[in-house]
Amino acid sequence: MKNGMKRILSGLLIMVMVLGMSVTSFAAEDTDGRDSQPVLRGPAKPITNISLADWGWNESERCFDFVIREDGIGPDTMKFGSTQLMAYDRVGIRAADGSVIGWYLYYKSPRIYNAGTYKMVASFYSSNGTQKVWTLKKDFVVTEDMLP
């Protein structure tokens, strides 16, 4: 009985492995005829402005949600206190011709457990033309009433 179970189990494992190796053959073909590579329409727009578009206290997650508007395109670094943040979403700002001329970048601060003032510093680097650093600073205040 024990030997029979081993044979059945090994047979099932072999079938799963064979099926797993053949999964790529079931992938859909690209039939729309478009090139899947991005189309470059010229140099990126230099940064002309950054601003804090929206922000608010997220009571259920005990953090701040904020949106930064970047007019132009360039790499960024974001710090909230001593924590480096990454944008969890980016939404393009488009011109009439459909080209991206800027971004809305969405961030969440780390969870906050103590009342106090927390500094947010965003630095954006315009790497096309101006070679300028754009800095945005904001102090977020957390009161005892905001914490559960």
Side-chain angles (χ1 to χ4, degrees):
M1 183 71 170
K2 195 174 191 182
N3 225 3
M5 285 298 283
K6 284 184 181 180
R7 285 185 183 176
I8 292 173
L9 184 60
S10 65
L12 286 173
L13 286 174
I14 289 171
M15 287 190 297
V16 167
M17 286 175 38
V18 169
L19 181 64
M21 287 187 278
S22 64
V23 165
T24 57
S25 65
F26 298 121
E29 293 293 323
D30 185 15
T31 58
D32 64 359
R34 293 184 308 173
D35 188 10
S36 61
Q37 296 296 319
V39 177
L40 300 177
R41 297 188 177 129
K45 307 270 188 241
I47 296 175
T48 57
N49 188 37
I50 61 170
S51 59
L52 189 61
D54 191 19
W55 66 275
W57 174 250
N58 185 330
E59 191 171 335
S60 63
E61 295 185 25
R62 296 171 64 161
C63 68
F64 284 101
D65 295 322
F66 48 98
V67 181
I68 293 181
R69 179 186 170 125
E70 173 189 20
D71 295 324
I73 299 171
D76 64 278
T77 58
M78 170 69 72
K79 283 196 169 189
F80 191 88
S82 61
T83 305
Q84 182 94 19
L85 300 180
M86 300 269 305
Y88 68 86
D89 195 13
R90 292 176 181 252
V91 176
I93 302 169
R94 298 195 176 269
D97 65 356
S99 62
V100 176
I101 58 171
W103 296 97
Y104 285 109
L105 297 114
Y106 293 81
Y107 295 92
K108 275 187 184 300
S109 74
R111 285 185 183 250
I112 298 174
Y113 297 99
N114 300 315
T117 302
Y118 296 86
K119 291 188 176 296
M120 183 268 304
V121 178
S123 298
F124 289 77
Y125 304 92
S126 186
S127 56
N128 187 15
T130 60
Q131 296 294 328
K132 187 173 180 182
V133 177
W134 293 81
T135 304
L136 176 66
K137 296 179 180 179
K138 169 84 173 142
D139 289 341
F140 291 94
V141 177
V142 177
T143 62
E144 291 290 336
D145 297 339
M146 297 167 74
L147 300 171

